[in-house]
Amino acid sequence: MDFDRDNEYARYVREKRGRGHARDRRREEEDMVGAPAKSMEGWILFVSGVHEDTEEDELYDLFGEFGDVKNLHLNLDRRTWLAKGYAFVEFDDLETAETAIESVDGQEFNGQRLSVSWAFLKPGPVEKANGQR
């Protein structure tokens, strides 16, 4: 009986916010290290291996199969006006972005193999100068 009450209290303490509970939150955040991080507007993917002759419309069509592409940025070389080999694709929701990564990563497109990953990942804990977190 006391064991159940102790478990409920422990659960309450984990859910409670405020003073004295920051350590639990830090632990949860450390568990999330390397997880995708949302930008201010949405979930951004980094696409590398883009052929230099690829145009934005082709990438919109490719990633549009998975959902609404909120934004797409294809960097061009200033002298040649050809693609530099990478692009950023933004989606509104996490599930659509995950599906796009799983489907397009490693796929052959315009004669080159594409590599798709998250543009932003949650960072690990920052160490202070004296070696503490």
Side-chain angles (χ1 to χ4, degrees):
M1 195 100 184
D2 286 78
F3 181 72
D4 291 335
R5 191 169 359 128
D6 290 343
N7 280 342
E8 284 184 40
Y9 178 75
R11 191 172 334 133
Y12 167 77
V13 168
R14 276 195 304 269
E15 293 173 357
K16 185 176 177 176
R17 298 182 187 270
R19 289 185 137 217
H21 301 286
R23 192 173 348 164
D24 290 336
R25 278 198 304 273
R26 276 197 307 268
R27 255 191 231 122
E28 289 173 11
E29 290 171 1
E30 287 175 4
D31 291 344
M32 298 295 292
V33 170
K38 186 176 182 180
S39 73
M40 294 296 281
E41 287 95 25
W43 300 92
I44 300 179
L45 308 181
F46 178 71
V47 184
S48 61
V50 177
H51 191 275
E52 63 182 12
D53 292 329
T54 302
E55 296 185 10
E56 277 190 9
D57 293 340
E58 295 174 311
L59 289 175
Y60 267 112
D61 293 341
L62 176 66
F63 285 96
E65 295 176 17
F66 309 104
D68 186 36
V69 175
K70 187 173 180 181
N71 191 10
L72 188 140
H73 183 77
L74 178 65
N75 257 358
L76 302 177
D77 185 276
R78 290 182 188 169
R79 289 184 295 121
T80 62
W81 294 101
L82 298 174
K84 284 190 171 183
Y86 66 92
F88 292 97
V89 182
E90 182 177 345
F91 290 98
D92 269 332
D93 62 297
L94 177 64
E95 292 78 25
T96 306
E98 287 176 334
T99 304
I101 288 175
E102 292 169 5
S103 301
V104 180
D105 187 38
Q107 180 178 333
E108 191 87 14
F109 185 73
N110 284 352
Q112 287 191 211
R113 187 169 307 279
L114 296 178
S115 176
V116 184
S117 61
W118 295 107
F120 302 108
L121 298 175
K122 292 185 179 179
V126 178
E127 298 222 3
K128 296 180 182 175
N130 61 3
Q132 296 178 355
R133 287 187 180 181

